[in-house]
Every structure is written in C-alpha cells, then in structure tokens.
Amino acid sequence: MADINSKLEIGVTTGPIRGSRKIHVESARFPGLTVAMREISLEPSSGEPPVRVYDTSGPYTDTNAMIDIAAGLPKLRRDWIMARGDVEEYDAREVKPEDNGLKGPDRSAGVPAFPNVVKRPLRAKAGGNVSQMHYARQGIITPEMEYVAIRENLGRKQAKEALIRDGQDWGASIPDYVTPEFVRDEVARGRAIIPSNINHPESEPMAIGRNFLVKINANIGNSAVASDVASEVDKMVWSIRWGADTVMDLSTGRNIHDTREWILRNSPVPIGTVPIYQALEKVGGVAEDLTWEIFRDTLIEQAEQGVDYFTIHAGVRLPYIPLAAKRMTGIVSRGGSIMAKWCLAHHKESFLYERFDEITEIMKAYDVAYSLGDGLRPGSIYDANDEAQFAELYTLGELTKRAWAQDVQVMIEGPGHVPMHKIRENMTKQLEACGEAPFYTLGPLVTDIAPGYDHITSGIGAAQIGWYGTAMLCYVTPKEHLGLPDRDDVKVGVVTYKLAAHAADLAKGHPAAQVRDDALSKARFEFRWRDQFNLSLDPDTAEQYHDQTLPAEGAKSAHFCSMCGPKFCSMKISQEVRDFAAKQNQPIETFVAADEAEAEAGMKAMSAKYDEMGRELYIGAGGREHD
Amino acid sequence: MADINSKLEIGVTTGPIRGSRKIHVESARFPGLTVAMREISLEPSSGEPPVRVYDTSGPYTDTNAMIDIAAGLPKLRRDWIMARGDVEEYDAREVKPEDNGLKGPDRSAGVPAFPNVVKRPLRAKAGGNVSQMHYARQGIITPEMEYVAIRENLGRKQAKEALIRDGQDWGASIPDYVTPEFVRDEVARGRAIIPSNINHPESEPMAIGRNFLVKINANIGNSAVASDVASEVDKMVWSIRWGADTVMDLSTGRNIHDTREWILRNSPVPIGTVPIYQALEKVGGVAEDLTWEIFRDTLIEQAEQGVDYFTIHAGVRLPYIPLAAKRMTGIVSRGGSIMAKWCLAHHKESFLYERFDEITEIMKAYDVAYSLGDGLRPGSIYDANDEAQFAELYTLGELTKRAWAQDVQVMIEGPGHVPMHKIRENMTKQLEACGEAPFYTLGPLVTDIAPGYDHITSGIGAAQIGWYGTAMLCYVTPKEHLGLPDRDDVKVGVVTYKLAAHAADLAKGHPAAQVRDDALSKARFEFRWRDQFNLSLDPDTAEQYHDQTLPAEGAKSAHFCSMCGPKFCSMKISQEVRDFAAKQNQPIETFVAADEAEAEAGMKAMSAKYDEMGRELYIGAGGREHD
C-alpha cells in the first residue's frame, strides 16, 4: 500500500487491494460512461472465472489513475450535469472567518484552504429542480441511474443461470436483474435515493434503497479537541478503500469549511453533513443564539461546496421535548439536543420544522438529499422504542411527504440502542410512517454493556435491521462512547459493517450475493489459501492471521492448516469420501447400508476394495472448526 | 493483573477484575455452601447500590485465595459427592504412553505430568447412577442445584420491584425467580444440564438450559503443530476471567492426557472434550484403525480424570455419508469426518451409534454429560440446513431419548454456517427433534466472506440463535479458519460471545438482565466514567480507549468527552432540559406549545426566565453519537 503522495502534506493510501484489479464496465446506453468495479482473479487450478465485487474505493485503487490531493479528483459527472442544460454558474458565497469557527481574521489554528476551490458553483436555473427524483418523475433516465444499474447488477449476469433467490425479504421487491428503468422507478416513488449534489461531480453514483444492496456509511471529522485535516482526508480515503458507500463529515470546532472542502474535492462517494453543527460554531456554541438566517446561510454554503445529503433534525418539535426529559439518557443526538435547547430557550417551535419547505427549496436547487435526523433516538436499551422516539418518527413521515411534494430525495435516520426483540418494530413503523423512504440506522446497539466492542454490539443489530429492510447502516467503531476513532478503528468499523450488510443481503435473498461466499468456501475447501484471502473483505488481515501460525511461504499452498496439522484433516477426508465414491462403478448410495441385512453382502468386498485403494490416499489436514 | 505464580513454570493471570471484588452468597438450605459472585461498587455520587454480576473466574480473582497450579484448586464439591454415599474409590486405569500420543516410552516431547494426580478416582457403586438428572428425577435437590439457583438469581432480588419482563422468549419458560426446585425440575425433564463429573470436584456448578442465562464456551487445546501445556492452562484461566462458562480442551497430537490433567485440576468451570480425538492419536491418526475397545478405554480414561461432558458424534450414520459427499464443503467437523472415514473403510454402521447404550452406561457412572456432536453441520452458507444436517439432527433426537432413558444428561451441538433467514429453522427443528434438550451452537456464522472477523460474523448468528432458545454459544475467535487463537484472540472471542449471550438474555426478557445495561447507561449519562468502565464487559479496554484520546486523569471525572469536546454536549443539554423543567413551578408539559395560540401568552416570560437562568448553566460536553 504505497503512498504516492508523499510529496504532499496530505498522504493517502493508494494502490490496488491485494489480489484484485480495477475494471471498468461500459454502458450501452451512454457511450463513454464506464462503471468501476473490482475483479478478483482465482488460481488457474480452480477453473473458475474471476469474481467481480462492488467497489467504493474510487480512483485511489486504480493503478492508471494519477492522484493529486491538492487538485482533487476528476469531475466524472460534470458533463452529464451540464448536458441537462438546467443549471447556471454563479459567484460563490464569500467564505467568512466564522465559516471556519474563527471570529475575526485569526487563522493561526487554521488549515490551508483547498488550492483548487470552485469560484463559480452550479445551481438550478431560477425556480428549477435538478434532483434525481425530479428527473425520475418525468420519466428521464439519467447517466446516474444507468451507472447505478450497472453497478448493482455486478455478479448477477454470471450468476444468472444459478440465480439463488432463497431468502426472506420481508416484503421488499428485489428484482432478478436491475434495469435503469427499475432504478428510475424506485427513485421516482421515493423508495431509493441517489445522493448527487451537482457541485460534487467527483462522486460515483450509488443508490440507497431497500431493493438495492445494503449500503454502509462511515463517520469522520475533526472535533474541538482533535483537529487535523490531513488525517481526516486520509480517513475518508481509507474508509472507502474498505467499503464505505458514503462518508459523513461530522466536524465540529474550527476549520469546518476548509476541512470539508478538502474532503469533498477528493471524495468519489457521497458526502453527508449535519449543517447545524457548523451553524452552532458560527454563534460561538450558544444554541439559543441560532437563527434561521444563520442556518440558511450555512445550507447554501455547504450546498455550494457539494455536500450530497444533509442531516436535518426537523422532527424535534417543541411538544416532544418533555417526553425526552423523562428518559434515562435524555437526548443523545447532538443535533437533536441543540434544537431542543433552542426550542426551550425561545419557547418556540423549531425553525427547522417551521421553515421546512424553504429548506426544501434550497435542496432541490442543488440536489441535496434529506437525511431526516432522529434527534430523539434512544441512547440506551432502557429508552428504546419509547414515546419520544416514535412521536418524532411520525413527524419525519409527515416531512417526507412535504419534501416529496417538491421532488426532493429523502432518507430517514434511525436508532440507536435497541434490544433485538424491539428492532423489527422500528422497521415496520418506519415503513408505515415514511412511505418506504430509505431507512438509515446507527447500528442499533443490542446491549449497553460492551463499550470498546460497540462495533460488534451494533453490528448485531445492524445485520438484523438490514435484513428487515434498512437501506444504509451507519457504522459504529470500537471507540464509540469512549473516544475519537483512529485509522485502525475506521477500518474495523467499516469491515464489521460491510459483513453485516452482506449478511443482510444474503438473508434477503439478494441475487448473486452468495456468489462471493460460494467462491470463498470452495477456495477454503480446496486449500486455495490465496484465493481465500483475496476473496475476503480484508485480505491483509486474513493472510496475516494465517501467517502468525504458519509463516512458511509453502504453507499457503499446503493442503493443511494449523488447526489440525498435517496429520489429519476433515476437509481432506471429505474429499476422500468423494473420490472414493467417484472411483466406484456404481454411485456410493447404492452400497451404503440403508438396510443392514442386504448390506452385509457387499460389505467384505467393499471393505477390501477400500483397503487396497484408500490407504494410498494422502492424509492431509485442514480447516477444523470446534470438533 | 499480577502473576503470583512466577515461581512456577505455569503462570496465570490472577487478581480482581478492575473495579470489582469477589463476594460469596450463603445458602440457607445447605449450611456452609457459598456461591461466588462479582460485585461492582459505584461512585458514592450515584447513590446506587453495587451491581452484582455472574462470575465464572473462580478463585483466580479472589484476593483471599492462594493459587498453586501444581496443587490444583480446592475440591469444592468433594464433600457433597461423598455425602451422597453412592460412590466408591478404585484404582485408576494405568496411564499408557499412547494416552499422550507417544508410542513407546519416548517422553522427549512430553510435558511434565501433573504432580498431584488422583490415584483413586470415584465412580458410582456397581450399577449405580450419579448423574444430576438421576437425582432430579428422584426429587432430590442437590447442593449443585442449590448453587445454580443462587447463582442464576443474581441481581433479581434488587430488581424485583421493577422486574422487567419485556421480551420475546419464543416459548421459553423463564421464571421471575429461580428456586432450587425449578432447577431440579428443568434437569429432571432434560431441559437443562449441570455438567459435573464426580471426578472434577473443583468445578463450580452451572446450568445450561433455555430457561437460564445463556452460557458461552471457549475452546482451547494443543494441536499437532503447536503444543505448550503452560499456555493452554493460561488460556483456560484467561478465558474464564472474561466470562467463559465452560471450556473445551480440543487438544490433538501429543501430550493429550497430561495437558488435560493440568487443565482439569485447575479449572473451576466444566471441561468438555472430544474423546475421538485422543482415540485417533492412539491409533497413529489412521481413522480406519479405530475400534470400540480403544474408544471405550479412552472414555474411561477421561471420565476418571474428570471431564464433565463428551462431544460424541454418534449421529454420523453410514447412510448419511453420501449426502455429505454432495456438499460444497463436505464434512467440516473433525470428529464427524473421522467417523465418516471409519464407516466407509469398514462399510459398517458407526460404532458410536451401535454402542450408544454402552457409552451411556459409562457416562452415568461418573455423571459425564453428552454433548451430541453435529458431525454433519454445514461448513458454508451453501450447505446450510441441508438434508445431511437435518438427517443427523433427528438421529441426535433419537439418541437423546435413549440417554434420558438411563437418566443421563444431554445437550445437542448445532451449526456452523447459516444465513440469518435460516437460523430460526435450526432452533425450531432442534426443539422438536430433541425434546427441548439444551442446544449448543457454534455461532452460527452468517456469511463466509470475512475470515479474520469470524468472531463477528458468528457473533451475529449467535446472538440471534441465543434469543431463539440456544442454551450455550460456542465462541469463535478472529483466527477461525486461519490459525490457532492466542491469548488476545481468546479474550476477544470470549467478550464477543459474552455480549452476544447478554443481548440474547435481554431480548428473551430475562429478569434483571437489563440491570447492568441500566446501571452503565446511567453512569454514562452522569459522566461517571469509572463506573462506565467498571460495569463494562472489558473495563481494561474501555478505559484504555478513553485514555487514547483524553489521557489526563482529570478527564475521567470531567463532564465532557472527546467526541464533542468541552464546549458542547448533548447529554449535558438533556440534563439542562430536566433542570429547567424541575426549576419551574408547573411541570414542563404545561407550558409547552401544544397549541400555538395559547402558548403565545407564556412565551416571553418563559424565555426571559430561561435567559436569566439558563445562561448561567455550565455548558459541558459529552457522548455524541453519529449526529
């Protein structure tokens, strides 16, 4: 994993993921449009085709790409956007010191501004709407929709004959094959979103919806106590390398504007933010000093930069606040508590709720998608599925319809901390309240007692709610509740959520989801160690763990492993059972003693036959499990 | 975590778990019988009682205990066993070189024999039965049952007023309060077992059953490529420190007998084995050379040493083998494949199946419990819930009834690799086939694509099947499929399974399971960092993660965390919302704008009132989650 940016102050990890290469699949409908995927080649001995996997890593894993963090990524979607002829360039809002949390001109604590800033961003022509939902509802298939269709279909062609549709989808409508028409229809009815701000043309289109592959989000961002733009950009690139489908920049404190610019210009995945965080910094952290004007100004600032979705806690209404006051852990959502404080201080209804349609006007001019925040989500098992939580959820449903009335894309954020037996209710109520708008949950954590392992307590809940229909899972790292995730935490969080999302796809019976499991299991059974490593979500760790016990290079081609050693192997014996069967004139069933008596006859012969042959069989050793 | 055994060759971790102390609860029924528990004291500021938690760590965490690995643990149950007057001492079977996998007298590769070996073990008097099930069926309440009752009740007394029975138990019968009579009845009907070989008096009684707390097992053991008795004893002590309820010694290769002796004499938890492993070593690893006589001799050898449960793959019948030959990953159970090979070689039905009643005769003379092995469990998602697996399961059901006919305790082993939507069927069929005998599963892993993270892929399945009714979850470590777990892997595996088992208890609505979650969440909300660490499953890691971001000692009492920094905090604001409400003459609900117009009136006043007061409130910072 070389760092070809060592010349720059900001270094990121580049180069292909072990054992795979970047490929580009061409679109028939849009000449020149190609979709990036990752292809894992298997050992020739396997006689199997390469396995294609969904790839979120962008140009960073492309050996042909030239990465220059100071210049930003190529603007993949720029031409598509311009070709629609419904946008105009205009002079960007002037960046003010307070945008970076700096009152006055002091930039001592500042980070270098991104050198390649767009001075003239895009927005819809007056009164226009450039949202993917708006196009979809007019029956238009955009290049973004085509890109998504090709991307989601990966693996299905090769799996088509043996399409495995064995699963329980809880009422989803997953097609055997994804057409751009299907993508359009799902976006049109609000069942899926394609976050794609026209000012973030660097992003590779992806869909978030119950009938597509389950996606995951990784959170990064500076905080007031730790601020370093280089490490945040590095974490963004690192998180998408391992599979983050979107990234949220949750920066607080200083340098919010500049940090976000560096991230956006270098991100091939949609970026989400919580604008109220920055608005709060602009008023020196005093929630009650927030105003609609400051918030509105922040929305435009971030929309011009290219943020693809905004978390907006418009469901935290004044009447719900007392419900939260009764809780064990009150309000754990930062955005939710900011608004709760504002509402109490002024004793007014939330301006996010009251100005919702005005906010929507802004969203549609840039195609920023809503991520309606669950400001009243439970912060403990005790508070799960309570009155406060569901009161807000139904308000989010009401707001969803108001956003859809203006053709603006919406997803709904969900909990949080929920014991397993209460997870399903969250999904059912969300589908009912929000008209199947994509659900986007944080875990949920299924117990409170394992700080340090909350990527796991939440991965358990995430796999389940993903199976029930949640479209995107927001990762939780081992540092949750304890500290700020570092690079390693980000990777562990991403891989944990990737496996949870895949487990959900398998359980939903997503076509071709099982292709990768089957390829890996075959490799395991046939002792193709390298294939087993390369097909895994984290080939580096898999190989490293193997080598800790058997470092010798030869062990990677050896027909045994460290669990049983070279003397005995269950996998090998299974193979012998097969070979033995194959070597018989008649199939093995016929001489198996279904009926003791009848069997007696053939026995001695069979036994002798095995004796002369079976003894020669090499006794290898392999993957023992627990007994 | 000092090592007071540094003088000995075998060092283990001793000393109390951070922030807690060992306590002993006395039995009213049996004078002198005391049950060990762990008590976590909270900061005085909390005004809350100490929290008692289930403790598997034995004397090793008791500051008053003197640990001497060469002498072994005190024989807690010895007097109880002798008092029943139904056992006799006799001369132990002579240890043979092949017991340690050593043909001939060569002990070069050997480990030192345990110095304090019992030369005259116990067994039931001729024709007798010393199983807990046998006593239970005669209406006898043994000290073992009383111990279990007190142990399982932990926390319920203090939670009695606010007993939380909110859960979905899938037809379990979990009582509000566990009486020894309930334990007896569950054991009598076979719904729970208390593994307690009369030759393992060092063990602290525990129950495995659907209506008790979900238990976890940790696997340890030498292999042919890595053999070190000291590290295996250390791993055993380490695994119970973090919560392993039972430990399986899966040693293969050499020194099996001696390694097991060291482990048994120092283990306060039941020890399980797979006798066929040792039998195989006795015939030089050639499965077809196995005989009933060698196997029987091995059972007696291990029963005399004190093994509490035997995994026996008696369900791998000759007619089922062809079914496995058709699979993607064949037979992944080591014991299962050994028997499959034997059956094919001799073309005979398995001697484990044919001699089952004779095996049971031996089990009842020592009270060894059956763990009927699932030799045909699926080794991949592709093979899940197939014909081979369920054919064997129903045979295990038949064998369960045969064991019960002789009053011998039984649990049933389960998979393996199973996608989420097929997990429930495993539980339902097991309950139906095996008459509610306790289910004991390995995970299951819900996807095959994450080697290196299989403690998580399996933890997801384990939490679910535990919720559905599985009584014990066999852990999987990060090294599964790749290598042998080291000390760190063992800890990660145990903690992962502990949280999965607890999540299952919560979802089943187990009384008082939530007491610990509530205590931890309250501590979190009130910024009692030390209480939060101490109440967690792994206080060391929790504190270490916190300190990575905020090392200063003061930060542990600070009312903020590194996520939001000192300037802003959602938890703190929730507290302000409460304080604000409390400071009002009328409850907060009354002045919340349910109706805009009516609200108008009070608003200005309230707002002013907050202004003069709210501004003074300290603005702290705390546990932000994702927005």
Side-chain angles (χ1 to χ4, degrees), chain B residues 349-611:
Chain B
E349 183 55 272
S350 158
F351 59 79
L352 299 179
Y353 180 79
E354 299 209 311
R355 306 282 194 153
F356 189 77
D357 295 332
E358 289 170 73
I359 297 171
T360 308
E361 290 284 339
I362 297 167
M363 308 292 262
K364 75 181 185 192
Y366 300 89
D367 195 11
V368 181
Y370 273 112
S371 185
L372 292 176
D374 55 334
L376 300 180
R377 70 168 169 277
S380 57
I381 293 296
Y382 183 92
D383 291 338
N385 294 23
D386 72 351
E387 200 184 353
Q389 184 194 333
F390 288 137
E392 177 186 40
L393 179 62
Y394 280 86
T395 297
L396 298 185
E398 167 206 331
L399 297 173
T400 300
K401 276 113 199 167
R402 277 164 62 184
W404 283 351
Q406 290 196 58
D407 296 355
V408 167
Q409 308 191 94
V410 181
M411 62 180 165
I412 309 292
E413 294 182 8
H417 292 242
V418 184
M420 285 189 285
H421 66 292
K422 292 185 175 177
I423 290 177
R424 186 88 210 287
E425 183 183 19
N426 280 272
M427 192 70 232
T428 323
K429 281 198 156 64
Q430 189 272 345
L431 289 170
E432 169 197 302
C434 306
E436 292 191 85
F439 204 22
Y440 167 31
T441 61
L442 175 68
L445 287 70
V446 295
T447 170
D448 303 340
I449 68 168
Y453 299 79
D454 280 333
H455 57 304
I456 305 178
T457 62
S458 67
I460 291 169
Q464 273 184 46
I465 205 162
W467 173 26
Y468 298 149
T470 291
M472 185 157 75
L473 307 169
C474 181
Y475 88 170
V476 170
T477 77
K479 291 278 173 66
E480 183 74 19
H481 300 115
L482 298 170
L484 290 173
D486 60 21
R487 207 169 187 271
D488 295 339
D489 298 318
V490 166
K491 180 177 177 180
V492 170
V494 167
V495 175
T496 299
Y497 271 65
K498 211 64 186 168
L499 70 86
H502 183 75
D505 288 332
L506 281 176
K508 287 165 77 176
H510 200 296
Q514 202 179 308
V515 168
R516 191 171 181 178
D517 298 75
D518 293 349
L520 190 144
S521 291
K522 275 193 211 120
R524 180 173 286 156
F525 186 74
E526 293 166 9
F527 293 101
R528 286 182 274 115
W529 288 100
R530 289 206 180 287
D531 287 352
Q532 188 183 161
F533 302 149
N534 295 342
L535 286 162
S536 69
L537 289 176
D538 179 1
D540 300 327
T541 299
E543 177 153 3
Q544 181 204 328
Y545 282 1
H546 171 272
D547 293 359
Q548 279 176 27
T549 319
L550 293 175
E553 190 54 29
K556 295 195 188 64
S557 48
H559 275 213
F560 68 89
C561 71
S562 55
M563 279 73 85
C564 296
K567 206 169 178 191
F568 185 87
C569 165
S570 57
M571 294 269 193
K572 199 76 189 68
I573 285 193
S574 300
Q575 194 50 55
E576 289 172 34
V577 171
R578 288 186 190 176
D579 300 345
F580 185 48
K583 289 201 179 114
Q584 305 307 324
N585 302 338
Q586 74 272 58
I588 192 166
E589 287 83 345
T590 63
F591 62 84
V592 162
D595 164 67
E596 302 290 340
E598 155 217 278
E600 272 307 330
M603 265 185 201
K604 279 210 164 50
M606 298 313 338
S607 176
K609 187 166 187 176
Y610 180 88
D611 216 44

Side-chain angles (χ1 to χ4, degrees), chain A residues 166 277 327 331 334 347 413 421-422 447-448 453 479 481 517 521 538 548 574 578 591 619 627, chain B residues 166 277 327 331 334 347 413 421-422 447-448 453 479 517 521 538 548 574 578 591 603 627:
Chain A
D166 142 32
Y277 289 0
R327 287 174 154 183
I331 302 175
R334 194 163 183 271
H347 214 276
E413 295 183 7
H421 66 292
K422 292 186 175 177
T447 170
D448 302 339
Y453 299 79
K479 291 279 173 64
H481 299 116
D517 298 77
S521 291
D538 179 0
Q548 279 176 26
S574 299
R578 288 187 190 176
F591 61 83
I619 312 290
D627 57 42
Chain B
D166 142 30
Y277 288 0
R327 287 174 152 182
I331 303 175
R334 194 163 183 271
H347 215 276
E413 294 182 8
H421 66 292
K422 292 185 175 177
T447 170
D448 303 340
Y453 299 79
K479 291 278 173 66
D517 298 75
S521 291
D538 179 1
Q548 279 176 27
S574 300
R578 288 186 190 176
F591 62 84
M603 265 185 201
D627 59 44

